[in-house]
Amino acid sequence: LISADKTRNLYRVNKNDYDKLMRDSVTANYEKANKNTENSINIAAKHITQRLGISDRVESIAKKAAYITIKDHKENFPNNIRCRLINPAKSNIGKISQQLLQNINETIRTDLDLQQWRSTSDALHWFKNLENKNKLKFIQLDIVDFYPSISKDLFDAAIEFASEITPITAETRHILHNARQSILFHNDTVWKKTTGLFDVTMGSYDGCEVCELVGLYALHKMRTLFPEIDFGLYRDDGLGTLRNTPRTKL
């Protein structure tokens, strides 16, 4: 039985079909890792916890097998079954990274007054307070595969952007990068992204905060490049308004 991605539906799938869906999902972006990869990540994490004095309260990466959910809300379902790969093998350094990023993100939101909605009610409040809606044009976008599309270069650029607003120490940077060291367990085998160990996994402790940081960086870029758009982000969904904008410019 496989859970749906965004509903409470359950789907019965025979073993061969499930194995194929899992294999296709894993091999699309992952490759088999070196046998020492898991140990290297745990050792690096141990050095961090020792410096922080919390080694007795932090566990190594749990060997939890990856699984999939079915995207039954996508077009052409069930003729074309698309899945979301969930990696529950979390790094506990992510809990430390989560707290650090929460503070960084809150400072950026407050200092730059960027419109990052953190709940549906936030977005509705923005919409209800728009004046003369009949004179507005709306622009909407969706960031496809937001989590996996965040590369190391983009993450580093977002951190550099954040460091211009609030001080980020070398130790903090080291923790944020270590939390991105990710592996996946499938069929008693260790896998890593084809692009390297850097990954923002679905279900990681700080995945939401990483996306918020990158989202704030994107919002800053949007404001700089397109100041005429009143634009905001809710996770991977963007919504903005324009007033008195010529069609050619649109």
Side-chain angles (χ1 to χ4, degrees), residues 50-80:
Q50 285 176 335
R51 287 196 297 272
L52 296 175
I54 57 174
S55 292
D56 58 329
R57 303 192 298 277
V58 179
E59 299 178 352
S60 57
I61 296 176
K63 294 184 178 181
K64 295 182 178 180
Y67 62 93
I68 54 175
T69 56
I70 291 181
K71 297 182 178 182
D72 57 355
H73 57 284
K74 295 296 185 180
E75 292 183 8
N76 203 25
F77 176 83
N79 297 320
N80 179 25

Side-chain angles (χ1 to χ4, degrees), residues 37-49 51-52 58-59 61 89-97 100 152 155-156 159 170-183 197-199 206:
T37 302
E38 178 187 356
N39 191 45
S40 298
I41 294 175
N42 284 328
I43 290 175
K46 183 178 180 180
H47 291 160
I48 291 175
T49 59
R51 287 196 297 272
L52 296 175
V58 179
E59 299 178 352
I61 296 176
K90 303 175 184 179
S91 166
N92 279 279
I93 299 299
K95 292 183 179 180
I96 308 170
S97 171
L100 294 171
K152 184 179 183 301
F155 184 61
D156 287 341
I159 291 177
E171 177 69 7
T172 294
R173 291 170 185 257
H174 181 58
I175 292 171
L176 298 181
H177 279 98
N178 183 270
R180 305 273 59 77
Q181 300 291 293
S182 176
I183 51 178
L197 291 176
F198 182 94
D199 197 8
D206 61 346

Side-chain angles (χ1 to χ4, degrees), residues 101-118:
L101 285 172
Q102 284 175 349
N103 294 332
I104 292 171
N105 293 344
E106 185 58 36
T107 300
I108 297 172
R109 272 191 297 269
T110 302
D111 287 11
L112 297 186
D113 194 27
L114 294 172
Q115 204 151 249
Q116 186 174 62
W117 305 307
R118 307 187 70 199

Side-chain angles (χ1 to χ4, degrees), residues 115 126-127 130 136-139 227-232 239-243 245:
Q115 204 151 249
W126 168 80
F127 179 78
L130 292 174
L136 297 176
K137 288 184 172 64
F138 287 85
I139 181 169
E228 66 272 24
I229 304 178
D230 178 13
F231 188 76
L239 183 63
T241 62
L242 303 94
R243 189 185 303 274
T245 306

